[in-house]
Amino acid sequence: MPKLRDLAHARTGDKGDTSNIAVIAYDPADYDLLRAALTPERVQAFFRGVVRGEVRRYELPRLGALNFVMQGALGGGVTRSLALDAHGKSLGSALLDIDLG
C-alpha cells in the first residue's frame, strides 16, 4: 500500500493556532488519486486529538496540489504550546505517512 510520501511532497506553514499543509503531487497524473484519497474528513481523522478545529481543503488542480488549512492545530499557537515541536513542519511530515489505500 503506497504512502502519500511516495506520490507527493508537502510544504507547510503556521500562524498562531492555524497550520497550513500543501500536498503537491510529484506527477500531475496522480492529482486525482490524491484528491480522492485526501478528503478534509480523512485529514481531520488522521490528526484526531491534535487538530481541534475545522480542516478546510483548497484544490489547486493546475499545480497538482491540495492545500489544507487546519484551525486549532498548534495547541493554542506555536509560542503558547507546551508540545515539543508542534509547528506545521511536523504535521506536514506526519501527513506524508498516511496510507493511500
Side-chain angles (χ1 to χ4, degrees), residues 64-78:
L66 301 169
N67 188 45
F68 294 92
V69 177
M70 304 180 301
Q71 305 291 328
L74 301 172
V78 173

Side-chain angles (χ1 to χ4, degrees), residues 3 21 26:
K3 299 274 190 184
I21 302 174
Y26 294 127

Side-chain angles (χ1 to χ4, degrees), residues 1-10 21 23 38 42 46-47 89-101:
M1 182 175 309
K3 299 274 190 184
L4 178 57
R5 74 178 70 256
D6 297 328
L7 300 179
H9 62 100
I21 302 174
V23 175
L38 295 175
R42 184 153 185 220
F46 184 78
F47 287 120
K89 289 181 179 105
S90 298
L91 297 178
S93 182
L95 185 62
L96 290 175
D97 201 43
I98 198 169
D99 290 321
L100 291 178

Side-chain angles (χ1 to χ4, degrees), residues 3-27:
K3 299 274 190 184
L4 178 57
R5 74 178 70 256
D6 297 328
L7 300 179
H9 62 100
R11 297 284 298 167
T12 62
D14 46 63
K15 189 72 164 176
D17 200 19
T18 301
S19 181
N20 176 64
I21 302 174
V23 175
I24 305 134
Y26 294 127
D27 182 343

Side-chain angles (χ1 to χ4, degrees), residues 22-85:
V23 175
I24 305 134
Y26 294 127
D27 182 343
D30 292 325
Y31 174 74
D32 287 333
L33 174 84
L34 297 179
R35 190 172 158 267
L38 295 175
T39 64
E41 296 80 16
R42 184 153 185 220
V43 171
Q44 189 156 36
F46 184 78
F47 287 120
R48 182 181 19 251
V50 175
V51 175
R52 305 204 185 283
E54 180 183 12
V55 173
R56 207 175 271 151
R57 180 179 82 174
Y58 297 92
E59 299 178 8
L60 300 117
R62 292 180 65 160
L63 298 176
L66 301 169
N67 188 45
F68 294 92
V69 177
M70 304 180 301
Q71 305 291 328
L74 301 172
V78 173
T79 59
R80 295 183 58 202
S81 175
L82 297 176
L84 181 62
D85 199 21

